[in-house]
Amino acid sequence: MWLYTCVVFVCVIYTSGRTVYSNKNSYTRTLFDEKNKDHWKIQAQWTLRAKLSTPQNTKVAKNVILFLGDGMSITTLAATRVYLGGQYGHNGEELKLSFESFPYTGLAKTYCVDHNVADSACSGTAYLSGVKANSGTLGLSGSVKRGDCAGQRDGLHSVTGLMDWAQKAGKSTGIVTTTRVTHASPAAAYAHAADRKWEADADLPTRGLKCEDIASQLVRGRVGSGLNVVFGGGRKNFMPRSEIDSNGNSGYRNDGRNLIREWLVKKESLGIYPKYIYSRKELLNLDNNKYGSVLGLFASDHMSYHLEAGDEEPTLSEMTQKAIEILSQNTKGFVLFVEGGRIDTAHHETKARKALDETAELAKAVEAALRIVDIEETLVVVTSDHSHTMSYSGYSKRGSDILGFANAKYNASDNLPYTILSYANGPGSMSRTNFRHNLMFDNMNDLNYTYPSLVPIPRETHGGEDVAVFAHGPWAHLFSGNYEQNFIPHALAYASCIGPGLTTCKL
């Protein structure tokens, strides 16, 4: 009998009675013969039967969790499977990340109103508010161009979305990210900014314009102040330059305000018992039933890459699990946004090893969530905001190190090796001279190794192709097919009976 299982964020197919368990994280190693034609027939028939037997869940989604792998292209997913397979005794191509086993998959088109390749601000506005916007702008329609402070202030072009709709419906709301909580993706959930870079008052232009910065909107804004859980980095944007945090880092604000203290006072004025935390130990020891709202700022800037993090910072899985435990106390349900944000920053640096590892961390967080929610009443969607320029090429044999060299049989015309993973542009360019250097002399095991790129620029760019959307739970079938990225929050709202548009409760 053929079975399908997800063990520690990777799924495998195996036959009962022929399964061996490795001694690393309980991974399952399969003992099938891919050279046998019956293997592929049985596997395909199993997939067919699984799809035919999957019922459509049309219950109201009490809870919604939107997972976002920032910059998580389809190429990144494929490479991550092989990356994980190599670590645990598989080839890797045959595996599935936890969310790749979801019953429904679609493709979202990511372009902005003014650019064909999206950034995280316009895309965040699309998948969180349901309206496409201009590049670099947050929570504003395409009528506002980047840097238009007056357009931000007048409020005519402001748009809200999932968090606002959920709060008005009485649900709890939360944000979890590995970047600064004021960074583009999480900020799109609560802020209105004509420039995504206006994270603190020190980032605002000095031309006499008076626009509210993003960190201030998290504390004082209608939607931002209503969030029940906020976990991530970016502590410096909430502290004045005159103050030093627990790790010896100074604040960044010029206005002298300590927004962390303001947040605590604001919550208390609303009759909510709040808690501010800044370490992994505090997170893990937090009494879930004691506090109505929790702000966790675990780093002065972005949180550390998983491969470099110490014990002071929680993992994405730990933050996700704690957020769900806190938000689940609301009998009306919750909406939670979880971002694996450092996939994107690693790609920008062409540090492929870190990008794949951060993708694996997102898959762990998804599985951690699935272990503690009731999928019959919780809609879980996993997607990305945009792609990157990383390619996966070279005719390598199964079992090859995905972070290593392509098949030597297909070396370039200069007879030098090239890597399986490379970038169309970025800091790892091989085009600075007319001759490539020999990669055999590079230390590719270094965590910070920059993978080769074609065009030399300081920071690799995004890509413009569609991104995958994976869905499980009530009304997950709505996410099949190809659609505009701004469709996502409308479908989430429909399933959970929130927002001003069509919902399953308003039929």
Side-chain angles (χ1 to χ4, degrees):
M1 179 178 68
W2 285 79
L3 299 174
Y4 194 68
T5 186
C6 293
V7 184
V8 192
F9 66 91
V10 168
C11 305
V12 295
I13 300 174
Y14 65 97
T15 54
S16 61
R18 302 182 61 204
T19 303
V20 173
Y21 295 92
S22 71
N23 58 4
K24 284 191 176 183
N25 291 339
S26 300
Y27 265 76
T28 307
R29 185 173 184 178
T30 59
L31 297 179
F32 49 71
D33 182 7
E34 291 186 347
K35 295 180 180 179
N36 187 327
K37 63 182 180 182
D38 289 334
H39 157 69
W40 298 107
K41 291 180 179 179
I42 294 172
Q43 182 200 63
Q45 286 293 310
W46 180 91
T47 302
L48 178 61
R49 290 176 180 272
K51 289 185 176 296
L52 291 172
S53 62
T54 300
Q56 289 188 352
N57 182 345
T58 56
K59 298 177 181 179
V60 174
K62 177 183 177 182
N63 311 309
V64 170
I65 308 177
L66 176 59
F67 284 92
L68 191 283
D70 198 314
M72 188 176 67
S73 62
I74 293 176
T75 303
T76 302
L77 295 174
T80 301
R81 294 180 213 129
V82 185
Y83 168 76
L84 290 170
Q87 291 183 351
Y88 299 102
H90 298 275
N91 286 329
E93 295 86 352
E94 72 282 5
L95 303 179
K96 288 179 179 286
L97 301 179
S98 58
F99 50 85
E100 291 183 310
S101 65
F102 284 8
Y104 298 100
T105 305
L107 291 171
K109 298 190 286 183
T110 63
Y111 63 90
C112 307
V113 170
D114 60 345
H115 285 73
N116 58 6
V117 175
D119 81 314
S120 294
C122 76
S123 55
T125 303
Y127 64 73
L128 284 168
S129 77
V131 175
K132 287 215 173 193
N134 289 325
S135 180
T137 64
L138 290 163
L140 300 168
S141 74
S143 297
V144 179
K145 294 183 178 180
R146 186 168 190 171
D148 180 5
C149 181
Q152 171 184 330
R153 283 189 308 169
D154 67 21
L156 294 175
H157 308 295
S158 296
V159 294
T160 59
L162 281 176
M163 297 302 167
D164 180 39
W165 303 338
Q167 289 172 6
K168 288 178 177 177
K171 294 180 181 293
S172 294
T173 52
I175 293 172
V176 172
T177 180
T178 51
T179 66
R180 298 185 296 271
V181 297
T182 51
H183 205 234
S185 299
Y190 61 85
H192 309 284
D195 195 320
R196 57 176 288 179
K197 291 185 178 181
W198 295 347
E199 296 185 46
D201 69 307
D203 298 316
L204 293 169
T206 58
R207 300 186 301 274
L209 301 178
K210 296 182 180 179
C211 273
E212 189 174 15
D213 63 89
I214 294 170
S216 180
Q217 291 184 57
L218 177 57
V219 175
R220 292 184 168 184
R222 181 174 58 81
V223 177
S225 64
L227 294 169
N228 302 91
V229 173
V230 179
F231 292 157
R235 192 186 305 132
K236 66 179 183 180
N237 290 328
F238 295 81
M239 296 174 56
R241 294 183 186 272
S242 59
E243 295 187 22
I244 306 297
D245 68 15
S246 57
N247 294 324
N249 299 304
S250 62
Y252 182 59
R253 300 192 65 83
N254 288 334
D255 58 9
R257 294 163 59 193
N258 186 311
L259 294 180
I260 297 172
R261 284 198 288 269
E262 284 193 26
W263 179 86
L264 289 168
V265 172
K266 173 84 170 181
K267 291 292 184 179
E268 289 173 351
S269 71
L270 297 174
I272 299 170
Y273 191 29
K275 178 69 174 177
Y276 166 65
I277 57 177
Y278 57 87
S279 69
R280 177 173 180 263
K281 181 179 180 181
E282 285 184 302
L283 177 78
L284 298 181
N285 293 332
L286 191 69
D287 185 342
N288 301 331
N289 301 313
K290 190 173 182 180
Y291 304 101
S293 192
V294 183
L295 173 64
L297 300 176
F298 304 107
S300 178
D301 205 289
H302 292 323
M303 295 180 67
S304 302
Y305 286 109
H306 169 252
L307 290 173
E308 297 174 331
D311 293 335
E312 282 299 303
E313 295 182 19
T315 65
L316 184 60
S317 296
E318 290 169 341
M319 291 191 292
T320 300
Q321 180 170 331
K322 182 61 71 172
I324 293 172
E325 290 171 352
I326 295 170
L327 297 174
S328 294
Q329 297 175 76
N330 188 338
T331 57
K332 293 184 178 180
F334 64 84
V335 172
L336 173 64
F337 173 68
V338 180
E339 182 199 23
R342 304 231 61 188
I343 303 169
D344 175 74
T345 58
H347 274 318
H348 279 307
E349 299 165 355
T350 68
K351 294 176 181 177
R353 185 181 299 273
K354 286 182 174 179
L356 303 190
D357 188 75
E358 292 297 315
T359 305
E361 286 301 296
L362 180 70
K364 287 183 186 179
V366 174
E367 185 167 347
L370 294 175
R371 284 197 297 265
I372 58 176
V373 300
D374 181 355
I375 200 63
E376 286 298 307
E377 64 177 19
T378 304
L379 175 57
V380 181
V381 173
V382 183
T383 187
S384 177
D385 48 357
H386 52 72
S387 71
H388 274 270
T389 70
M390 187 182 77
S391 66
Y392 175 175
S393 60
Y395 302 116
S396 295
K397 294 182 178 179
R398 293 284 296 279
S400 298
D401 180 4
I402 190 68
L403 293 164
F405 294 112
N407 195 330
K409 179 181 177 181
Y410 301 98
N411 271 356
S413 57
D414 57 11
N415 210 32
L416 292 176
Y418 61 95
T419 51
I420 297 172
L421 301 179
S422 61
Y423 292 81
N425 54 48
S429 174
M430 303 297 295
S431 303
R432 295 183 179 89
T433 67
N434 292 328
F435 302 96
R436 293 197 304 143
H437 80 266
N438 193 337
L439 296 175
M440 293 295 292
F441 296 108
D442 291 356
N443 178 15
M444 297 173 64
N445 291 320
D446 189 331
L447 296 182
N448 291 304
Y449 180 73
T450 55
Y451 274 71
S453 56
L454 177 64
V455 178
I457 58 175
R459 183 175 167 84
E460 180 264 358
T461 71
H462 297 164
E465 63 267 31
D466 299 352
V467 295
V469 183
F470 305 91
H472 195 10
W475 294 99
H477 55 282
L478 294 178
F479 296 89
S480 301
N482 181 277
Y483 37 81
E484 300 287 355
Q485 191 171 44
N486 68 294
F487 165 75
I488 293 173
H490 291 277
L492 294 173
Y494 177 90
S496 56
C497 290
I498 63 175
L502 183 68
T503 74
T504 184
C505 299
K506 293 179 183 178
L507 291 178

